[in-house]
């Protein structure tokens, strides 16, 4: 398991020439991961294999600004991500947002990544379709494509109704081939169909709060961590 620490050594770690994939795209998937589960992990792994990149970086948010307050602390969610990817070389954890004292606006992360990686390296942000449909409400959303590509994960045969702002964005920036995002540093939106596992972090929290087991929905190491630290249990059980 490799963890990128958000300090002065981050840039050299991200751009290490000793990595056989050093010249491939930098791909990351942010989220609350409250808790992380097999749906997150399988999506990240399939994206890594589809793009043939060295790694996909999982980036837990510190103080998510587009969602309600998480059910566990930032440090606990970071620890669960680390537990979940232990032993999987294709997935890495980037804790920079957890370690930051600023709100988790992704545009700040993109600015930081560009400073570390330079202007030429392709950077890809992975988001789900539901998140993308509210993308025009994100802080400084109109600047994102200056820094990265956006990979929108959709179920096969998806049908969605973007608003007028997103329609215009797609008309200008949508591409169909992965080569379009691997040969340019930023600026494109690609909708990629895959069949994500139908697992919900909300459902997992509800199971735990009701005294039921979420095993086989998330890694055993994560479930053990949740039990050890009594996360998500109802007050009478904690």
């Amino acid at each position: 398991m490799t963890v990128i620490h958000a300090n002065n050594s981050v840039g050299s770690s991200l751009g290490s020439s000793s990595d056989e994939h050093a010249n491939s795209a930098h791909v990351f998937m942010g989220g609350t991961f409250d808790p992380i589960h097999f749906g997150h992990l399988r999506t990240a792994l399939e994206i890594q294999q589809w793009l043939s990149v060295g790694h996909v970086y999982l980036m837990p948010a510190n103080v998510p600004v587009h969602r309600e307050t998480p059910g566990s602390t930032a440090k606990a969610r970071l620890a669960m991500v680390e537990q979940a990817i232990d032993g999987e070389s294709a997935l890495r954890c980037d804790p920079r947002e957890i370690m930051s004292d600023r709100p988790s606006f992704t545009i700040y992360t993109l600015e930081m990544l560009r400073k570390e990686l330079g202007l030429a390296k392709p950077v890809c942000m992975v988001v789900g379709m539901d998140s993308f449909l509210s993308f025009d409400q994100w802080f400084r959303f109109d600047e994102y494509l200056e820094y990265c590509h956006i990979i929108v994960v959709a179920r096969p045969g998806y049908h969605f109704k973007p608003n007028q702002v997103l329609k215009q964005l797609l008309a200008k920036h949508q591409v169909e081939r992965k080569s379009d995002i691997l040969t340019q540093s930023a600026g494109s939106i690609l909708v990629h169909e895959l069949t994500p596992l139908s697992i919900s972090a909300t459902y997992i929290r509800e199971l735990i709060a009701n005294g039921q087991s979420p095993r086989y929905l998330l890694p055993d190491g994560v479930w053990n961590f949740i039990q050890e630290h009594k996360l998500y249990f109802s007050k009478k059980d904690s």
Side-chain angles (χ1 to χ4, degrees), residues 46-110:
E46 289 195 22
I47 291 291
Q48 181 269 334
Q49 294 172 342
W50 169 62
L51 291 176
S52 298
V53 295
H55 320 282
V56 168
Y57 293 83
L58 297 172
M59 190 181 299
N62 185 2
V63 183
V65 292
H66 303 292
R67 306 185 63 168
E68 60 187 37
T69 302
S72 57
T73 67
K75 289 184 177 180
R77 289 183 288 108
L78 174 61
M80 286 188 282
V81 171
E82 293 173 348
Q83 285 279 353
I85 64 173
D86 189 22
E88 177 49 73
S89 61
L91 304 180
R92 293 189 175 185
C93 178
D94 185 338
R96 70 181 68 234
E97 291 191 358
I98 295 290
M99 298 173 70
S100 174
D101 57 1
R102 298 196 295 182
S104 294
F105 289 114
T106 308
I107 191 67
Y108 297 155
T109 299
L110 291 172

Side-chain angles (χ1 to χ4, degrees), residues 25-220:
H26 183 89
V27 184
F28 74 95
M29 188 171 84
T32 310
F33 302 125
D34 188 33
I36 191 167
H37 54 66
F38 285 133
H40 300 129
L41 296 166
R42 188 63 206 169
T43 295
L45 186 60
E46 289 195 22
I47 291 291
Q48 181 269 334
Q49 294 172 342
W50 169 62
L51 291 176
S52 298
V53 295
H55 320 282
V56 168
Y57 293 83
L58 297 172
M59 190 181 299
N62 185 2
V63 183
V65 292
H66 303 292
R67 306 185 63 168
E68 60 187 37
T69 302
S72 57
T73 67
K75 289 184 177 180
R77 289 183 288 108
L78 174 61
M80 286 188 282
V81 171
E82 293 173 348
Q83 285 279 353
I85 64 173
D86 189 22
E88 177 49 73
S89 61
L91 304 180
R92 293 189 175 185
C93 178
D94 185 338
R96 70 181 68 234
E97 291 191 358
I98 295 290
M99 298 173 70
S100 174
D101 57 1
R102 298 196 295 182
S104 294
F105 289 114
T106 308
I107 191 67
Y108 297 155
T109 299
L110 291 172
E111 290 172 336
M112 189 184 303
L113 284 172
R114 272 293 163 218
K115 289 179 181 178
E116 295 164 7
L117 299 171
L119 299 178
K121 190 178 186 69
V123 173
C124 303
M125 178 180 71
V126 181
V127 300
M129 181 62 77
D130 289 344
S131 294
F132 181 70
L133 288 176
S134 63
F135 177 63
D136 60 311
Q137 300 172 31
W138 293 20
F139 179 58
R140 293 169 55 188
F141 80 95
D142 54 339
E143 299 177 40
Y144 275 54
L145 292 174
E146 298 174 19
Y147 295 92
C148 72
H149 302 294
I150 300 175
I151 299 173
V152 183
V153 175
R155 293 181 179 277
Y158 70 95
H159 297 283
F160 72 109
K161 296 181 180 180
N163 61 32
Q164 193 60 36
V165 174
L166 293 179
K167 283 182 181 179
Q168 293 173 357
L169 202 64
L170 289 165
K172 185 176 180 180
H173 297 281
Q174 187 171 6
V175 297
E176 302 295 332
R177 301 172 303 177
K178 64 181 178 182
S179 59
D180 293 322
I181 63 174
L182 295 176
T183 57
Q184 302 293 327
S185 62
S188 297
I189 301 170
L190 191 155
V191 178
H192 177 59
E193 294 187 16
L194 58 78
T195 305
L197 301 178
S198 296
I199 301 174
S200 161
T202 300
Y203 177 61
I204 290 173
R205 295 195 302 270
E206 289 174 351
L207 282 176
I208 297 169
N210 291 326
Q212 297 175 306
S213 172
R215 195 177 182 195
Y216 308 121
L217 296 175
L218 72 178
D220 282 345

